[in-house]
């Protein structure tokens, strides 16, 4: 359970200054700023404190993939897609489910229940949009935003260290949008977005490192001698191809 105390404890631990590579991958962008250098920006996420709960979020940070893994890719989005709110086609996603009030609902049931005046944020998993997911380091996944009203939009990421990055995304008409999220640092991350007078729920993302796979070198001599017509001579594989089979003799 993530609550108001947790979010403000993280913010209190902010100790870094300047611009760093953010989870939405625009290093040094004029759209990004460190909240450690702009205390007024913190006010924009205060309204989210009561919405940072999710019963499905594990207490412990995941260090490996699990059933909650994000639907991710290692393919980097194009430059025009980075830190850009892109229109989301709800009609094409009717078969997926959306997390709300502790359970997953079909789109029709979700849209009936969801308060239309509240901004919402989810991360894509296979067949669903969730408030929690795991991601391998260096991968990308989509986050879904519901924007209830035209307003300047800022998206925040809270790093495992407590470092907070704020990205200004401009203003868009009401509706559903998605943005690409980049898993750039191992550990537990929180992301949320704020309008001028309200903020979304938080999405929790556990980024894990993929263990290095040790490659056992092959023995060239053994590989060579797997073929009956090959022999290892003077550190070389010498092969004498067998004579072709005579079909007439084969009949006899």
């Amino acid at each position: 359970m993530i609550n108001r105390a947790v979010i403000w404890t993280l913010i209190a631990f902010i100790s870094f200054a300047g611009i760093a590579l953010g989870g939405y991958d625009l290093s040094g962008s004029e759209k990004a700023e460190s909240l450690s250098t702009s205390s007024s920006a913190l006010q924009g996420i205060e309204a989210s404190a009561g919405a940072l709960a999710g019963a499905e979020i594990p207490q412990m940070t995941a260090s490996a993939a699990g059933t909650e893994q994000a639907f991710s890719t290692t393919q980097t989005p194009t430059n025009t897609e980075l830190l850009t709110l892109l229109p989301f086609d709800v009609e094409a996603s009717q078969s997926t489910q959306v997390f709300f009030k502790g359970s997953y609902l079909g789109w029709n049931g979700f849209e009936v229940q969801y308060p239309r005046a509240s901004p919402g944020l989810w991360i894509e998993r296979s067949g669903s949009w969730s408030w929690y997911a795991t991601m391998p380091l260096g991968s990308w996944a989509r986050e879904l935003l519901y924007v209830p009203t035209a307003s300047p939009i800022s998206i925040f990421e809270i790093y495992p260290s407590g470092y907070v990055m704020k990205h200004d995304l401009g203003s868009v008409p009401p509706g559903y949008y998605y943005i690409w999220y980049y898993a750039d640092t191992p550990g537990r991350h929180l992301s949320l977005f704020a309008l001028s007078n309200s903020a979304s729920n938080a999405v929790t993302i556990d980024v894990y490192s993929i263990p290095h796979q040790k490659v056992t070198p092959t023995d060239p001599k053994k590989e060579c001698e797997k073929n009956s017509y090959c022999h290892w001579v003077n550190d070389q594989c010498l092969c004498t191809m067998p004579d072709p089979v005579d079909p007439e003799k084969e009949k006899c």
Side-chain angles (χ1 to χ4, degrees):
M1 189 78 168
I2 300 174
N3 56 30
R4 185 188 186 96
V6 172
I7 188 73
W8 289 110
T9 298
L10 287 173
I11 292 171
F13 286 154
I14 297 170
S15 58
F16 298 93
I19 304 302
L21 178 65
Y24 299 87
D25 203 41
L26 267 188
S27 181
S29 168
E30 70 279 0
K31 296 181 179 180
E33 64 177 301
S34 164
L35 295 195
S36 60
T37 61
S38 179
S39 59
S40 62
L42 296 178
Q43 299 173 9
I45 60 175
E46 183 174 11
S48 68
L52 294 173
E56 65 162 9
I57 299 171
Q59 294 291 325
M60 299 296 293
T61 302
S63 59
T67 56
E68 307 89 354
Q69 189 162 9
F71 188 69
S72 61
T73 178
T74 56
Q75 181 66 44
T76 303
T78 64
N79 287 336
T80 56
E81 293 177 312
L82 292 176
L83 261 183
T84 301
L85 290 176
L86 303 165
F88 179 77
D89 187 354
V90 173
E91 293 299 322
S93 302
Q94 290 293 320
S95 60
T96 60
Q97 295 187 316
V98 187
F99 182 79
F100 182 59
K101 286 188 175 180
S103 61
Y104 287 87
L105 306 172
W107 268 105
N108 291 336
F110 164 74
E111 293 201 299
V112 168
Q113 294 190 39
Y114 192 77
R116 308 304 292 176
S118 299
L121 181 67
W122 298 264
I123 188 166
E124 187 173 19
R125 297 197 328 208
S126 181
S128 68
W129 293 96
S130 178
W131 285 4
Y132 173 76
T134 62
M135 286 180 66
L137 183 67
S139 64
W140 297 84
R142 295 194 303 173
E143 286 186 323
L144 175 68
L145 297 83
Y146 171 66
V147 179
T149 183
S151 169
I153 297 171
S154 297
I155 195 160
F156 300 83
E157 179 177 13
I158 304 171
Y159 278 77
S161 63
Y163 180 78
V164 182
M165 283 296 296
K166 170 179 175 281
H167 299 277
D168 293 323
L169 304 178
S171 182
V172 294
Y176 288 98
Y177 297 87
Y178 71 90
I179 189 172
W180 284 103
Y181 177 86
Y182 182 57
D184 64 345
T185 305
R188 175 159 290 188
H189 299 242
L190 297 179
S191 61
L192 60 150
F193 74 95
L195 307 179
S196 57
N197 58 358
S198 61
S200 72
N201 58 283
V203 162
T204 303
I205 303 167
D206 283 341
V207 178
Y208 61 91
S209 298
I210 301 175
H212 177 69
Q213 297 295 326
K214 184 178 180 181
V215 178
T216 303
T218 58
D219 185 328
K221 183 175 183 294
K222 290 182 179 179
E223 291 298 314
C224 173
E225 293 178 345
K226 284 181 180 179
N227 299 308
S228 60
Y229 48 84
C230 294
H231 303 278
W232 189 255
V233 180
N234 296 328
D235 293 330
Q236 297 182 50
C237 188
L238 301 179
C239 299
T240 302
M241 298 300 293
D243 294 330
V245 176
D246 186 330
E248 294 301 321
K249 291 183 180 179
E250 187 71 16
K251 289 181 182 178
C252 295

